[in-house]
Amino acid sequence: VKIQQLTVIGVGLIGGSFARATRKANKVETIVGCGRNEANLIKAVELGVIDSYKLDVKEAVKNADLVMLAVPLGAMTALFEQMKEALKTDAVITDAGSVKSSVINSIKTVYGEVPPHFIPGHPIAGTEESGVEASFDTLYNDRRVILTPLDNVDESALSLVKECWESAGAEVSTMSVEHHDEVLAATSHLPHMLAFGLVDTLAQQDEQKEIFKYAAGGFRDFTRIASSNPVMWRDICIANHEALSDKLDAFATEMTELADAIREQNADELLDIFTRAKTARDKFIG
Amino acid sequence: VKIQQLTVIGVGLIGGSFARATRKANKVETIVGCGRNEANLIKAVELGVIDSYKLDVKEAVKNADLVMLAVPLGAMTALFEQMKEALKTDAVITDAGSVKSSVINSIKTVYGEVPPHFIPGHPIAGTEESGVEASFDTLYNDRRVILTPLDNVDESALSLVKECWESAGAEVSTMSVEHHDEVLAATSHLPHMLAFGLVDTLAQQDEQKEIFKYAAGGFRDFTRIASSNPVMWRDICIANHEALSDKLDAFATEMTELADAIREQNADELLDIFTRAKTARDKFIG
């Protein structure tokens, strides 16, 4: 199925790459962009990422067959509100927000329930860059995309969104909202907390010690995610505070055991922990 | 000064790269290798990293002007013991161990004190590879090397070791044993504990949840150091357990604050922590 009009709200790295990829795959006829930064939208037209843009949300979505919301979690509720009256009745809505329970709550606030044509989604992809100039048509190639449709989902809407992502080269999985938020708490949100926490701990000790001066390449890799956008991460933490708190508790328990083993110089336990970790990483990630 | 004979004990990534770099800089006439793995030593001769090898430590060091110990921390004491009677009186000894208090204790066990010709050292460099085939002559180029000489040090011995590292392109710093071990606890040992602890925590939850399947590139970078050698890290933890315990305590305090802020959805505090961390990382590491 070819989509007549795709509207992308938030034409940055994620939204711009979605536009580029679906265009390249010949899945869409026309792409309309929308956002608050007009210079970015002009750039997106110049780059051929979108065909045209509207600053007004209602104008941008009124003829859309598919709307992709690629905006911060904190902007979702207001956008659903503005879109609601303007959308065609059979328009499909999807998003790329990284905490699905938060987006579900946003749309429930506006519609009272989750509309069957809304397909919550999350591409597990990204770079450290942002803005439309960072977007590229292979960002989602061989990457995973998680969709978290509810029980009342319209199956043809689900198929449409799935096809779009697959046309971009992504492998699409479907899971519950709760499972998604727990998995992301573990693999993304918790590691970001550790990186932010480590760098902040050392920064507070650094004045006297010049610690960072002697940091090697491993430290650079390990702390890269601590250079991420603080506002975005504040929003993610608050949106996913329950699942993230659980993961932080599990991690704290592990670290207490590890710290005890170090203090007691318990060689066997240390070797067990490190061996289990290395085996798991080499098997699953290496 | 050109060194007549350099003996490298442990001709792997670190020792082999030291041999290659000093050879390339024309700092050494002859390089003798020593180690327990004869196949590795034969390979080292074939690759031109060393000129010859001895399996017997006494034979390997008896004509040496400089001995480089590039072996695990747990092997140091026995090697100092074996070398002691065979060494020329003015031979300079140095090492590449990553916990300096541990190496100092090893040599004190054998000599009763730290000999003035011993220069404790630690190159802040390495890759995930090991063995002589992974060694290369630019490993130390633009990298830092920390020397931790004691008060009784022989100044010409110190100069010799410093010159060798500088000829390899390294920037040499001198600091106290305690300061070195604290800095490394912060920038290397603590991050390794977090990576091992994170992967082990998730591995224990993984069976039901398939968590690792959805891990993205950031997770791969963040956990890379959890694929390090478990035996080496067991030894490092035990050797540096005091400084590392202090750093783990400071980190645990920070993470308790962060976890509380998440649980309480304290937006301002979260933004403060993330902004401080990003600012520090971008300034010092980025």
Side-chain angles (χ1 to χ4, degrees):
Chain A
V1 190
K2 191 157 183 180
I3 295 158
Q4 282 303 306
Q5 184 185 315
L6 163 66
T7 293
V8 175
I9 305 184
V11 190
L13 170 68
I14 298 297
S17 295
F18 183 78
R20 286 184 193 263
T22 49
R23 163 90 76 203
K24 193 184 179 195
N26 203 28
K27 285 294 291 179
V28 292
E29 193 66 42
T30 302
I31 306 180
V32 175
C34 180
R36 291 183 306 182
N37 180 342
E38 188 165 11
N40 184 68
L41 293 167
I42 291 169
K43 190 81 202 169
V45 172
E46 283 171 9
L47 293 169
V49 174
I50 55 176
D51 298 301
S52 62
Y53 71 85
K54 303 282 184 192
L55 291 171
D56 182 79
V57 175
K58 287 184 178 63
E59 287 296 314
V61 304
K62 70 179 183 187
N63 295 316
D65 301 291
L66 175 64
V67 177
M68 160 59 81
L69 289 155
V71 299
L73 294 171
M76 294 283 184
T77 306
L79 284 169
F80 288 130
E81 191 75 63
Q82 292 169 66
M83 285 162 55
K84 190 180 176 191
E85 298 304 324
L87 281 170
K88 296 196 293 188
T89 48
D90 59 349
V92 176
I93 316 170
T94 190
D95 79 301
S98 51
V99 182
K100 299 327 301 174
S101 57
S102 164
V103 184
I104 297 279
N105 287 337
S106 288
I107 203 163
K108 271 187 184 163
T109 304
V110 175
Y111 284 84
E113 56 161 12
V114 177
H117 287 82
F118 174 59
I119 312 297
H122 181 208
I124 313 296
T127 71
E128 293 181 298
E129 309 294 318
S130 60
V132 70
E133 288 170 276
S135 67
F136 54 101
D137 62 26
T138 56
L139 175 61
Y140 305 115
N141 198 31
D142 288 331
R143 307 304 290 269
R144 289 181 186 274
V145 171
I146 300 173
L147 303 180
T148 63
L150 302 203
D151 288 343
N152 70 342
V153 70
D154 179 286
E155 289 295 338
S156 63
L158 177 58
S159 294
L160 183 79
V161 172
K162 192 162 179 280
E163 278 171 30
C164 283
W165 284 116
E166 285 174 348
S167 79
E171 185 175 339
V172 178
S173 304
T174 300
M175 64 177 68
S176 71
V177 170
E178 296 69 28
H179 190 187
H180 170 276
D181 288 358
E182 188 186 343
V183 166
L184 269 288
T187 56
S188 172
H189 309 169
L190 175 59
H192 276 80
M193 295 308 102
L194 303 191
F196 280 126
L198 173 67
V199 174
D200 190 39
T201 302
L202 300 188
Q204 291 178 39
Q205 304 182 345
D206 190 50
E207 286 172 57
Q208 301 83 34
K209 304 289 180 183
E210 299 183 301
I211 287 170
F212 292 121
K213 192 170 146 185
Y214 300 99
F219 188 81
R220 206 175 304 265
D221 280 351
F222 188 78
T223 59
R224 180 161 296 125
I225 53 180
S227 285
S228 303
N229 184 323
V231 172
M232 189 178 91
W233 280 96
R234 177 200 61 191
D235 289 356
I236 289 173
C237 283
I238 290 173
N240 204 23
H241 68 275
E242 287 186 23
L244 181 52
S245 292
D246 287 349
K247 296 299 172 193
L248 279 165
D249 287 345
F251 178 75
T253 302
E254 168 99 15
M255 290 310 287
T256 301
E257 284 172 28
L258 183 50
D260 288 346
I262 290 167
R263 206 171 290 110
E264 296 159 9
Q265 304 182 55
N266 186 335
D268 292 341
E269 193 180 342
L270 291 172
L271 189 58
D272 279 352
I273 295 171
F274 300 160
T275 303
R276 282 202 308 260
K278 178 180 169 56
T279 304
R281 189 180 184 282
D282 290 350
K283 181 173 171 190
F284 295 113
I285 312 285
Chain B
V1 189
K2 191 158 184 178
I3 295 158
Q4 282 303 306
Q5 184 185 315
L6 163 67
T7 293
V8 175
I9 305 185
V11 190
L13 170 68
I14 298 297
S17 295
F18 183 79
R20 287 184 192 262
T22 50
R23 164 90 77 202
K24 193 184 179 195
N26 202 29
K27 285 294 292 179
V28 292
E29 193 66 40
T30 302
I31 306 180
V32 176
C34 181
R36 291 183 307 180
N37 180 343
E38 189 165 11
N40 184 68
L41 293 167
I42 291 171
K43 190 80 202 169
V45 173
E46 282 171 9
L47 293 169
V49 175
I50 56 177
D51 298 302
S52 63
Y53 70 85
K54 301 284 182 189
L55 291 171
D56 182 80
V57 175
K58 287 185 177 62
E59 287 296 314
V61 305
K62 70 179 182 187
N63 295 316
D65 302 291
L66 175 65
V67 178
M68 160 59 81
L69 289 154
V71 299
L73 295 170
M76 294 283 182
T77 306
L79 284 170
F80 287 131
E81 192 75 64
Q82 293 168 65
M83 285 162 53
K84 190 179 176 192
E85 298 304 325
L87 282 170
K88 296 197 291 189
T89 48
D90 59 350
V92 176
I93 315 170
T94 190
D95 79 301
S98 51
V99 182
K100 299 327 300 173
S101 57
S102 165
V103 184
I104 297 277
N105 286 338
S106 288
I107 203 162
K108 272 187 185 164
T109 304
V110 175
Y111 285 85
E113 56 160 13
V114 177
H117 288 81
F118 175 60
I119 312 299
H122 182 209
I124 313 296
T127 71
E128 293 181 296
E129 310 294 317
S130 61
V132 70
E133 288 170 274
S135 68
F136 55 101
D137 61 25
T138 56
L139 175 61
Y140 305 116
N141 198 30
D142 289 332
R143 307 305 289 269
R144 289 180 185 275
V145 171
I146 300 173
L147 303 180
T148 62
L150 302 202
D151 287 344
N152 70 341
V153 68
D154 179 285
E155 289 294 338
S156 64
L158 177 57
S159 294
L160 183 79
V161 173
K162 192 162 179 278
E163 278 170 29
C164 283
W165 284 117
E166 285 173 348
S167 80
E171 185 175 338
V172 178
S173 304
T174 300
M175 63 176 71
S176 72
V177 170
E178 295 70 27
H179 190 187
H180 169 276
D181 289 357
E182 190 186 343
V183 166
L184 269 287
T187 56
S188 172
H189 309 169
L190 175 58
H192 277 80
M193 295 308 102
L194 304 190
F196 280 126
L198 174 67
V199 174
D200 190 39
T201 303
L202 300 189
Q204 291 179 38
Q205 305 183 345
D206 191 49
E207 286 172 57
Q208 301 83 32
K209 304 288 181 184
E210 300 182 300
I211 288 170
F212 291 122
K213 192 169 147 185
Y214 300 99
F219 188 81
R220 206 174 304 264
D221 280 351
F222 187 78
T223 58
R224 180 161 294 124
I225 54 180
S227 286
S228 303
N229 184 323
V231 172
M232 188 177 93
W233 280 95
R234 177 199 61 191
D235 289 356
I236 289 173
C237 284
I238 290 173
N240 204 24
H241 69 275
E242 287 185 24
L244 181 52
S245 293
D246 287 349
K247 296 299 171 193
L248 279 165
D249 288 346
F251 178 76
T253 302
E254 169 99 15
M255 289 311 286
T256 301
E257 283 172 28
L258 183 50
D260 288 347
I262 290 167
R263 206 171 290 110
E264 295 159 8
Q265 304 183 56
N266 186 334
D268 292 342
E269 193 180 343
L270 291 172
L271 188 58
D272 279 352
I273 295 171
F274 301 160
T275 303
R276 282 201 309 260
K278 178 180 169 56
T279 304
R281 188 180 185 282
D282 290 350
K283 181 173 172 189
F284 295 113
I285 312 286

